[in-house]
Amino acid sequence: MPEPNLPPLRVLLNDQPAVPNTYRDHINVQCLRRKLPELPSETRAKLTNKYGISPESAAILVNENVLLQHFYDIMEEKKSRDPKLSTNILIMELLTILNKKKLSLEASPFPSHTLGEIVDLLQSEKINLVTARKILQEIISGNSMSPSEVVEKYEWTQITNPSEIEKVCTAVIEQNPKLVEQFCSGKTKVFNSLVGKAAKITENRANMATVVQVLTAKLRKIQNP
């Protein structure tokens, strides 16, 4: 039964009518669809498919509009940036330091370009993750310098030179004969202690992946001369 108080609803499914002004009183479905904002499920799918981000990380970004905008800004500013690394900086490092300082994302002192610069320094291996955290701490404490300027001022550049790392590993072995002896006798768990000694000597500036490789090779030579 027709309802006299409700006008008829005329829907236009096609995007454009064949004859102009023929369907002026119709609702254009395609036009309305284009005006709708992107749904959270669509955003999550785009993050995982286009950027290769895990579903868990995508969900966190979508749930925080400021965080999501940071991500888009970082990736838009420089297409070569690693999406997964950028996501880790936002989720694991930015949120952690803001929570420690009891600051909201809206009150964050970190603009997108600053976070993007930290991603660049990590991606180019000019710094490691420990240094990235120290840079965030410097900035949140009021330092107005850029991440690169902070690294230069405090000489926080990562040690990647193989010969320098070899010297460090040699020093660790010479200074810790008991740990070396334990390792050679089969107590391989002490290896982490030796790696920690190398980190301490270099003030956490050494490329730890290289340290592990060099230290492993040197210890094997001691085990099997």
Side-chain angles (χ1 to χ4, degrees), residues 97-113:
I97 195 167
L98 290 178
N99 287 336
K100 285 182 179 179
K101 296 293 183 179
K102 297 182 179 179
L103 291 174
S104 66
L105 279 166
E106 289 75 13
S108 168
F110 303 102
S112 297
H113 66 84

Side-chain angles (χ1 to χ4, degrees), residues 3 5 34 37 49 64 96 100 108 128 132 144 148 165 171 188 205 221:
E3 168 57 54
N5 294 321
R34 287 193 295 270
N49 296 331
E64 293 286 355
T96 297
K100 285 182 179 179
S108 168
N128 55 30
S144 60
S148 296
I165 291 178
T188 55
R205 292 194 301 116
K221 285 183 179 180

Side-chain angles (χ1 to χ4, degrees), residues 8 38 80 107 157 162 183 188 213 220 225:
E38 189 175 67
S80 60
T157 304
F183 179 88
T188 55
Q213 291 176 357
R220 282 177 180 172

Side-chain angles (χ1 to χ4, degrees), residues 1-224:
M1 179 179 295
E3 168 57 54
N5 294 321
L6 293 176
L9 179 64
R10 296 181 174 89
V11 179
L12 178 64
L13 298 178
N14 297 325
D15 200 11
Q16 293 182 347
V19 181
N21 300 323
T22 303
Y23 302 99
R24 295 181 63 183
D25 60 338
H26 286 53
I27 294 176
N28 191 317
V29 174
Q30 299 301 327
C31 181
L32 288 177
R33 181 175 282 119
R34 287 193 295 270
K35 291 180 180 178
L36 287 173
E38 189 175 67
L39 297 175
S41 59
E42 295 173 333
T43 306
R44 289 194 297 270
K46 181 171 70 175
L47 290 171
T48 54
N49 296 331
K50 181 178 179 179
Y51 296 103
I53 296 172
S54 69
E56 295 79 10
S57 297
I60 294 173
L61 291 178
V62 171
N63 288 338
E64 293 286 355
N65 289 332
V66 176
L67 212 58
L68 181 62
Q69 191 58 53
H70 274 316
F71 176 79
Y72 284 145
D73 291 344
I74 288 170
M75 297 307 301
E76 183 64 27
E77 187 179 33
K78 190 177 288 187
K79 306 290 186 182
S80 60
R81 285 172 177 159
D82 186 333
K84 292 182 181 179
L85 178 58
S86 302
T87 303
N88 287 340
I89 288 298
L90 291 172
I91 295 175
M92 302 303 296
E93 307 306 330
L94 176 63
L95 289 183
T96 297
I97 195 167
L98 290 178
N99 287 336
K100 285 182 179 179
K101 296 293 183 179
K102 297 182 179 179
L103 291 174
S104 66
L105 279 166
E106 289 75 13
S108 168
F110 303 102
S112 297
H113 66 84
T114 295
L115 297 169
E117 189 175 342
I118 292 175
V119 172
D120 292 339
L121 291 170
L122 282 166
Q123 198 166 326
S124 62
E125 296 189 352
K126 290 183 179 178
I127 64 171
N128 55 30
L129 191 56
V130 174
T131 302
R133 291 168 182 157
K134 290 164 71 175
I135 293 171
L136 290 171
Q137 184 61 51
E138 275 291 313
I139 294 173
I140 206 169
S141 298
N143 194 326
S144 60
M145 292 189 294
S146 70
S148 296
E149 291 170 340
V150 172
V151 171
E152 184 177 355
K153 177 181 178 181
Y154 295 109
E155 298 181 347
W156 284 348
T157 304
Q158 182 171 222
I159 300 172
T160 56
N161 188 306
S163 60
E164 287 187 53
I165 291 178
E166 188 165 349
K167 290 177 182 177
V168 170
C169 292
T170 299
V172 168
I173 290 172
E174 291 175 350
Q175 294 169 13
N176 299 275
K178 289 185 179 180
L179 289 176
V180 173
E181 184 180 349
Q182 289 175 344
F183 179 88
C184 293
S185 65
K187 297 179 180 179
T188 55
K189 290 184 178 180
V190 301
F191 181 77
N192 290 334
S193 297
L194 292 168
V195 172
K197 300 287 185 183
K200 185 176 181 180
I201 289 175
T202 61
E203 297 179 338
N204 292 307
R205 292 194 301 116
N207 184 309
M208 298 315 296
T210 307
V211 167
V212 168
Q213 291 176 357
V214 173
L215 200 54
T216 299
K218 285 184 173 294
L219 290 170
R220 282 177 180 172
K221 285 183 179 180
I222 295 174
Q223 277 182 312
N224 305 295

